[in-house]
């Protein structure tokens, strides 16, 4: 097993190097084109800017969730002193290290608060808030300065957490110092705690408050469940892409894909469990102030999306991924990762867009443009982060364990 | 926490370059068998066991006498009243079901997560699970008032035009808990078969051989049997995993599907599951600390095992604290005056002592486990674990009693005062739990020998470095 480990270590090409800036440039060009498409559509379509703002939130929540899922993955691996996942950790660290970019991408959302007529946050609009006693009640919490302050705190903490793991892990690539692992393990517990609180309140603030009269205490867990599905699927696809390009060829094995696939499967079920819990309790108690949210999503325009989510985010992948073979074959696992990312995106769309238009399913060029646009920027950011680092933590003290590991 | 070398006697040190040994001392297959089997094979039962058994069996007797009294007299012997129709019996039910969650989590979920350390504690925790579910099952059964209609609880053919109400979460409870009890018992028994065969093979007395031999189902330990056994175990683990989540989710539905303020909130299912695991692990630690000392199992159930369990207690305590905080925040955020009142009433109303006991025990005390010293010192963890048990009982009390005692109309408000019968039945349920537990400790293999051996050999021959 030592041979495989040293083989990977000796290959200097394990960091993307020259390839990264070129690929990043392509990603940015594609992203720029996507954004241009979205902006043009916003200009030419009726109600275009309002659609743009809502759709921006959908796509922001989507890409953010991938980084958050990856961040929680890294923290959990340290908290549990996991050995099997070492080869997958660096990719997740890179995904999480995209957090500063997510902070920059938050700026348009923050600015939209000052255009009350087109913002997804109607509570920020004093005229509308005046007519809703419930929104008035929430004003000590839902007001622009406090909202921005909280957003800054979430993003600041996430940037710190992601950097904390990323820099130490990179440093270990050089020194091989096991003390760094001990340090990361020691901080992982408090970081998970902070992560849970910030993610919950960020999802309350950024997503739940789009429907400011509605509330659900499980909402943060729901977003976390989806984020982990997104993060795991993205990490698996990133590993496949890297291996296709000839990197980390021998360190990431079928066994690691298999385990990541199992975890992804588990979180598909977890997401279903949380979604069911929320739906079930609201449906059964049938209290009008809670059911409004689902009534919008069961209107004739949105019912197909709700059912598609139920099938595509839960039942179909559940059946599709249950077999061991599927998780061990790259083509099949890759297919399910793409599938789940698509449905995770639909989930974000489903959370936000009925507030934009409950009488139609408003999928359009703007959404596509922003998906590609933010995606291009996101991938570009990843490639830049990944440029000069190995794609596998080469001197992690538990790397040999990960390399030797087999699913019996 | 310096990363010194891992010594044979202290396996709680952490050096990421090495995995700490799972068991302490120099253990081989023979010594593991000897350590575990000699407890069940002892000729003379220790006097302390008799004393403990006498006490717990008497309490069990009291429980059943009181159940008889209840049947003859009616549920008025309890403190249940209008509007608090659910009093201690349902508190006790939820409490015991919660306790019964550690076993299946350890044996199923930790198995799927390849946590080898589970092997030293799974048998013990699973046994505890089953006994706790027995205690839990009693309370809803005797709570129905008209005991001659008890069979209405179960879905049965409808010749009498008595249709089970499939829309009632109480019916789902019957399904959930009975499925859980069945699968847990099967899992426990299946895991025990190779060990029962070991006891059979070592038995010197023909009666013992017959008894253990009957339950060992002709196990010979052939490669073919092991192959089948491992497959069945994996499948049962995969089937039991959703059960760990489903049972307490359904129990939470008993409350959360209603419109009662303080009961109806969407985070209830995962919050109840985390709370159940929390209390279950606390009970395992409470029993394991004295048991490993008394039965000489310290080298198999090491400080590291206890430390790991304490970490799970800490993690689940944080989840429970998170749920309390979220509930409270959403009660305000929702703008519903009833919700907000329910929560303020918990914290500041007549039952505030119960609420703050709950918060102190469940959310404050377990944070001691951030410190390694507290995670690895038996008497400290024992105190924390007992307080967690107290806190989790109070959690159910707070949820049930504070919400029911304050109805929507102030004219229907009331208070709940337990009767001595309530207290005595709760104490009696501990008697039943400990009676079963003591019998288990005396006659069955307390540690899964076959699994520990597999895990230990894996440590020796394992990773090739």
């Amino acid at each position: 097993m030592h041979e495989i480990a040293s083989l990977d270590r000796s290959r200097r090409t394990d960091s993307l190097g020259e390839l990264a800036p070129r690929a990043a440039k392509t990603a940015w060009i594609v992203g720029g084109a996507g954004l241009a498409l979205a902006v043009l559509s916003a200009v030419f379509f009726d109600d275009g800017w309002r659609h743009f703002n809502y759709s921006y939130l959908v796509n922001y929540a989507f890409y953010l969730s991938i980084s958050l899922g990856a961040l929680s993955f890294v923290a959990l691996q340290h908290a549990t002193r996991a050995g099997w996942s070492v080869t997958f950790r660096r990719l997740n660290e890179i995904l999480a290290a995209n957090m500063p970019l997510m902070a920059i991408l938050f700026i348009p959302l923050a600015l939209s608060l000052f255009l009350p007529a087109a913002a997804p946050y109607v509570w920020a609009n004093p005229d509308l808030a005046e007519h809703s006693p419930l929104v008035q009640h929430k004003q000590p919490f839902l007001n622009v300065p406090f909202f921005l302050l909280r957003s800054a705190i979430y993003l600041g903490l996430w940037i710190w957490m992601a950097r904390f793991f990323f820099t130490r892990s990179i440093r270990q690539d050089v020194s091989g110092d096991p003390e760094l692992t001990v340090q990361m393990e020691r901080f992982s517990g408090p970081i998970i705690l902070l992560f849970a609180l910030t993610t919950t309140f960020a999802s309350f603030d950024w997503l739940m408050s789009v429907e400011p009269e509605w509330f659900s205490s499980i909402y943060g867990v729901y977003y976390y469940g989806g984020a982990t599905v997104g993060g795991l699927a993205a990490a698996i696809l990133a590993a496949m892409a890297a291996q296709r390009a000839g990197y980390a060829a021998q360190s990431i094995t079928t066994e690691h894909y298999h385990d990541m696939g199992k975890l992804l499967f588990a979180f598909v079920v977890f997401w279903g469990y949380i979604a069911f819990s929320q739906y079930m309790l609201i449906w059964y108690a049938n209290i009008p102030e809670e059911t409004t949210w689902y009534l919008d999503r069961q209107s004739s325009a949105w019912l197909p999306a709700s059912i598609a989510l139920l099938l595509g985010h839960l039942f179909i992948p559940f059946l599709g991924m249950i077999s061991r073979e599927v998780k061990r074959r790259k083509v099949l696992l890759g297919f399910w990762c793409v599938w789940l990312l698509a449905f995770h995106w639909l989930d974000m769309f489903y959370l936000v867009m009925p507030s934009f238009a409950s009488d139609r399913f408003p999928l359009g060029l703007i959404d596509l443009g922003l998906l590609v646009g933010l995606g291009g920027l996101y991938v570009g950011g990843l490639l830049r982060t990944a440029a000069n680092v190995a794609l596998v933590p080469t001197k992690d003290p538990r790397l040999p364990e990960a390399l030797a590991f087999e699913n019996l | 926490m310096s990363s010194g070398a891992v010594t044979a006697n202290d396996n709680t040190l952490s050096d990421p370059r090495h995995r700490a040994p799972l068991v302490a001392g120099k253990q081989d297959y023979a010594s593991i068998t000897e350590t575990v089997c000699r407890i069940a094979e002892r000729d003379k039962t220790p006097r302390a066991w008799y004393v403990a058994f006498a006490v717990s069996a008497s309490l069990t007797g009291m429980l059943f006498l009181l159940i008889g009294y209840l049947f003859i007299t009616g549920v008025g012997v309890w403190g249940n009243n209008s509007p608090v129709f659910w009093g201690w019996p349902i508190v006790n039910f939820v409490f015991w079901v919660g306790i019964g969650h550690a076993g299946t989590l350890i044996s199923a979920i930790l198995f799927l997560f390849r946590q080898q350390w589970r092997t030293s504690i799974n048998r013990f925790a699973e046994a505890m699970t089953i006994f706790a579910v027995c205690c839990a099952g009693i309370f809803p059964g005797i709570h129905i008032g008209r005991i001659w209609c008890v069979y209405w609880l179960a879905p049965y053919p409808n010749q009498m035009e008595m249709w089970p109400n499939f829309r009632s979460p109480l019916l789902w409870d019957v399904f959930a808990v009975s499925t859980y009890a069945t699968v847990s018992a099967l899992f426990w028994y299946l895991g025990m078969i190779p060990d029962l065969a070991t006891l059979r093979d070592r038995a010197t007395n023909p009666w013992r051989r017959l008894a253990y031999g009957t339950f060992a189902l002709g196990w010979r330990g052939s490669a073919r049997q092991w192959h089948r056994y491992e497959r069945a175990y994996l499948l049962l683990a995969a089937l039991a995993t959703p059960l760990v989540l489903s049972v307490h989710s359904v129990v939470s539905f008993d409350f959360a599907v209603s419109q009662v303020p303080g009961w109806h909130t969407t985070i209830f299912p995962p919050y109840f599951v985390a709370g159940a695991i929390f209390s279950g692990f606390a009970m395992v630690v409470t029993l394991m600390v004295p048991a490993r000392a008394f039965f000489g199992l310290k080298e198999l159930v090491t400080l590291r095992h206890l430390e790991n369990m304490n970490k799970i207690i800490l993690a689940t305590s944080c989840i429970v604290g998170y749920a309390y905080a979220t509930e409270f925040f959403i009660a305000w955020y929702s703008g519903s005056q009833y919700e907000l009142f329910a929560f303020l009433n918990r914290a500041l109303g007549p039952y505030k002592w119960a609420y703050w006991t709950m918060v102190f025990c469940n959310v404050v005390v377990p944070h001691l486990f951030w410190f390694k010293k507290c995670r690895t010192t038996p008497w400290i963890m024992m105190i924390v674990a007992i307080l967690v048990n107290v806190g989790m009982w109070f959690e159910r009390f707070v949820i049930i009693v504070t919400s029911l005692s304050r109805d929507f109309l102030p004219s229907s408000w009331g208070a709940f005062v337990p009767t001595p019968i309530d207290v005595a039945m709760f104490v009696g349920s501990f008697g039943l739990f400990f009676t079963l537990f003591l019998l288990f400790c005396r006659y069955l293999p307390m540690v899964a020998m076959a699994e520990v051996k597999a895990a230990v050999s894996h440590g020796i021959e394992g990773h090739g470095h």
Side-chain angles (χ1 to χ4, degrees):
Chain A
M1 290 307 157
H2 273 293
E3 284 156 38
I4 298 177
S6 53
L7 202 74
D8 260 27
R9 279 175 199 176
S10 64
R11 283 175 37 137
R12 303 213 41 191
T13 51
D14 245 9
S15 65
L16 296 179
E18 291 289 291
L19 181 71
R22 267 186 291 140
K25 199 179 273 175
T26 317
W28 278 325
I29 292 170
V30 173
L35 284 180
L37 174 70
V39 170
L40 280 177
S41 313
V43 172
F44 287 112
F45 286 118
D46 278 349
D47 212 12
W49 282 110
R50 212 167 74 88
H51 189 163
F52 183 92
N53 285 339
Y54 274 89
S55 184
Y56 190 90
L57 176 60
V58 170
N59 288 289
Y60 181 80
F62 174 72
Y63 289 109
L64 176 75
S65 73
I66 292 174
S67 289
L68 285 175
L71 179 59
S72 74
F73 178 86
V74 174
L76 268 177
Q77 301 316 306
H78 285 299
T80 55
R81 295 181 181 153
W84 67 272
S85 58
V86 171
T87 48
F88 253 101
R89 222 187 48 228
R90 177 60 47 78
L91 292 170
N92 279 288
E93 286 163 355
I94 293 170
L95 284 169
N98 232 11
M99 215 48 98
L101 175 72
M102 295 318 293
I104 296 170
L105 292 179
F106 185 75
I107 294 170
L109 270 182
L111 291 178
S112 79
L113 286 170
F114 299 100
L115 303 163
Y121 303 112
V122 290
W123 51 262
N125 185 344
D127 303 334
L128 284 173
E130 210 172 304
H131 300 293
S132 165
L134 279 174
V135 173
Q136 277 168 25
H137 167 81
K138 290 171 198 192
Q139 232 133 50
F141 187 73
L142 293 181
N143 60 67
V144 174
F146 193 26
F147 179 90
L148 291 177
L149 175 69
R150 287 197 304 274
S151 304
I153 292 173
Y154 310 142
L155 288 162
L157 280 171
W158 293 334
I159 291 172
W160 170 74
M161 292 174 200
R163 277 196 67 78
F164 174 85
F165 290 120
F166 187 68
T167 52
R168 274 165 189 74
S169 186
I170 301 296
R171 227 184 293 154
Q172 198 175 45
D173 279 357
V174 182
S175 67
D177 182 6
E179 196 54 39
L180 288 166
T181 302
V182 175
Q183 209 178 76
M184 288 190 277
E185 283 170 3
R186 205 176 300 158
F187 275 77
S188 58
I191 282 181
I192 290 173
L193 199 58
L194 271 179
F195 173 88
L197 289 173
T198 47
T199 306
T200 302
F201 277 90
S203 68
F204 286 173
D205 282 346
W206 298 348
L207 295 168
M208 197 165 87
S209 83
V210 167
E211 201 71 61
E213 296 191 342
W214 185 77
F215 55 91
S216 169
S217 50
I218 207 173
Y219 200 91
V221 188
Y222 181 92
Y223 183 67
Y224 165 73
T228 307
V229 169
L232 289 169
I236 294 172
L237 289 174
M240 287 175 182
Q243 289 198 313
R244 242 188 122 103
Y247 300 98
Q250 272 139 323
S251 46
I252 300 177
T253 67
T254 308
E255 307 302 331
H256 302 124
Y257 283 115
H258 185 184
D259 268 0
M260 290 293 283
K262 286 191 239 174
L263 210 51
L264 181 58
F265 176 79
F267 272 93
V268 166
V269 180
F270 181 77
W271 176 90
Y273 165 65
I274 298 298
F276 171 75
S277 298
Q278 177 172 279
Y279 184 83
M280 164 77 191
L281 294 177
I282 289 177
W283 170 77
Y284 198 110
N286 206 10
I287 301 172
E289 53 216 59
E290 289 181 336
T291 49
T292 48
W293 198 82
Y294 279 114
L295 287 177
D296 278 349
R297 282 155 184 79
Q298 290 176 356
S299 66
S300 56
W302 278 91
L303 187 62
S306 303
I307 291 175
L309 210 51
L310 176 66
L311 297 176
H313 206 309
L314 181 63
F315 289 133
I316 296 173
F318 177 87
L319 294 173
M321 290 182 69
I322 204 163
S323 144
R324 173 189 170 92
E325 241 358 79
V326 171
K327 284 166 280 195
R328 295 178 72 88
R329 279 206 211 157
K330 275 194 210 172
V331 183
L332 295 174
L333 183 63
F335 166 78
W336 286 113
C337 289
V338 174
W339 172 285
L340 281 170
L341 277 175
F343 277 93
H344 175 51
W345 186 85
L346 178 64
D347 186 22
M348 297 297 113
F349 196 76
Y350 162 93
L351 289 182
V352 173
M353 292 309 267
S355 311
F356 168 67
S358 58
D359 54 343
R360 62 195 167 94
F361 187 71
L363 187 64
L365 277 180
I366 294 183
D367 308 289
L368 187 71
L370 282 168
L371 175 66
V372 174
L374 293 191
L377 299 184
Y378 188 83
V379 172
L382 287 181
L383 287 165
R384 245 185 59 142
T385 316
N388 297 314
V389 299
L391 296 184
V392 168
T394 47
K395 288 189 182 167
D396 187 289
R398 296 199 178 107
L399 182 64
E401 193 182 322
L403 293 173
F405 160 71
E406 275 178 61
N407 278 295
L408 291 173
Chain B
M1 216 194 313
S2 73
S3 52
V6 179
T7 64
N9 291 322
D10 182 3
N11 61 352
T12 61
L13 294 172
S14 90
D15 178 346
R17 284 168 298 189
H18 307 283
R19 290 289 174 189
L22 286 169
V23 293
K26 278 209 182 318
Q27 298 288 346
D28 53 24
Y29 295 162
S31 69
I32 292 171
T33 309
E34 193 54 42
T35 313
V36 178
C37 287
R38 71 165 178 240
I39 303 166
E41 286 169 350
R42 235 189 296 219
D43 282 335
K44 259 184 65 128
T45 309
R47 181 166 301 159
W49 187 90
Y50 277 120
V51 174
F53 188 77
V55 172
S56 53
S58 315
L59 292 176
T60 310
M62 178 179 79
L63 173 67
F64 284 102
L65 283 175
L66 288 173
I67 291 176
Y69 173 59
L70 172 85
F71 287 169
I72 294 166
T73 318
V75 287
V77 302
W78 285 328
N80 299 14
N81 60 28
S82 168
V84 189
F85 293 98
W86 281 3
W88 276 37
I90 300 303
V91 176
N92 297 343
F93 161 68
V94 183
F95 172 75
W96 281 116
V97 174
I99 300 286
H101 268 63
T104 316
L105 180 104
I106 291 172
S107 47
I109 293 187
L110 294 188
F111 176 75
L112 295 184
F113 281 163
R114 293 192 296 265
Q115 297 299 301
Q116 302 276 3
W117 60 277
R118 64 180 265 290
T119 53
S120 294
I121 50 168
N122 65 346
R123 173 72 43 74
F124 188 90
E126 282 172 53
M128 206 199 71
T129 288
I130 292 161
F131 307 149
V133 173
C134 292
C135 294
I138 289 177
F139 285 100
I142 60 176
H143 187 260
I144 56 168
R146 297 177 180 82
I147 194 62
W148 53 94
C149 296
V150 68
Y151 62 98
W152 291 8
L153 274 173
Y156 66 95
N158 57 307
Q159 302 95 320
M160 287 156 59
E161 300 286 316
M162 279 300 311
W163 293 80
N165 183 1
F166 285 103
R167 284 195 267 177
S168 162
L170 306 183
L171 179 76
W172 312 338
D173 247 359
V174 175
F175 282 107
V177 176
S178 56
T179 310
Y180 186 64
T182 313
V183 174
S184 301
L186 269 178
F187 205 25
W188 182 57
Y189 178 53
L190 180 80
M192 207 152 41
I193 288 174
D195 288 355
L196 290 172
T198 306
L199 280 168
R200 172 200 65 199
D201 295 343
R202 287 167 57 100
T204 46
N205 162 334
W207 291 109
R208 286 179 70 89
R209 184 173 306 138
L210 180 69
Y212 287 122
T214 308
F215 287 106
L217 302 179
W219 178 265
R220 288 285 170 270
S222 68
R224 188 199 191 73
Q225 284 182 339
W226 274 112
H227 179 70
R228 298 265 158 83
Y229 169 88
E230 299 274 348
R231 291 230 122 173
Y233 201 89
L234 176 63
L235 281 176
L236 263 181
L239 290 173
T241 296
L243 282 177
V244 178
L245 295 167
S246 70
V247 180
H248 233 63
S249 298
V250 171
V251 171
S252 81
F253 287 169
D254 291 346
F255 305 99
V257 296
S258 71
Q259 298 176 341
V260 177
W263 285 11
H264 175 73
T265 179
T266 49
I267 204 167
F268 251 46
Y271 149 46
F272 263 49
V273 171
I277 294 164
F278 181 48
S279 67
F281 270 88
M283 189 59 106
V284 176
V285 170
T286 312
L287 296 182
M288 198 45 126
V289 170
R292 73 194 266 276
F294 185 76
F295 294 108
L297 292 170
K298 281 188 177 174
E299 292 193 332
L300 293 186
V301 183
T302 63
L303 279 179
R304 191 181 187 84
H305 291 92
L306 297 173
E307 190 190 4
N308 284 350
M309 286 195 274
N310 292 336
K311 285 181 181 171
I312 295 180
I313 290 177
L314 175 61
T316 43
S317 160
C318 291
I319 300 179
V320 167
Y322 165 91
Y324 294 166
T326 313
E327 270 187 327
F328 226 111
F329 173 74
I330 292 290
W332 171 79
Y333 181 87
S334 69
S336 156
Q337 53 173 327
Y338 302 106
E339 279 294 323
L340 186 59
F341 171 78
F343 280 91
L344 289 178
N345 182 51
R346 278 183 190 176
L348 307 170
Y351 293 101
K352 64 178 179 211
W353 54 275
Y355 180 81
W356 293 108
T357 308
M358 165 191 107
V359 170
F360 176 74
C361 294
N362 292 348
V363 183
V364 180
V365 175
H367 285 282
L368 283 173
F369 284 157
W370 286 108
F371 304 101
K372 184 173 169 145
K373 173 98 181 127
C374 300
R375 290 198 304 264
T376 52
T377 309
W379 67 267
I380 298 180
M381 65 177 90
M382 189 74 183
I383 291 174
V384 174
I386 289 173
L387 285 177
V388 169
N389 283 316
V390 172
M392 284 308 291
W393 188 86
F394 271 100
E395 180 193 295
R396 281 64 176 250
F397 178 82
V398 165
I399 292 172
I400 292 174
V401 172
T402 60
S403 284
L404 286 180
S405 66
R406 290 291 174 268
D407 213 327
F408 286 97
L409 290 174
S411 59
S412 342
W413 287 5
F416 176 84
V417 182
T419 63
I421 306 286
D422 273 313
V423 181
M425 285 180 105
F426 180 50
V427 174
S429 68
F430 270 96
L432 175 62
F433 180 75
F434 280 107
T435 305
L436 294 168
F437 181 72
L438 285 163
L439 288 171
F440 161 73
C441 290
R442 180 69 187 88
Y443 295 107
L444 291 172
M446 274 169 68
V447 173
M449 294 180 274
E451 288 193 68
V452 173
K453 288 173 194 168
V456 170
S457 76
H458 188 72
I460 297 165
E461 296 148 22
H463 306 306
H465 60 271

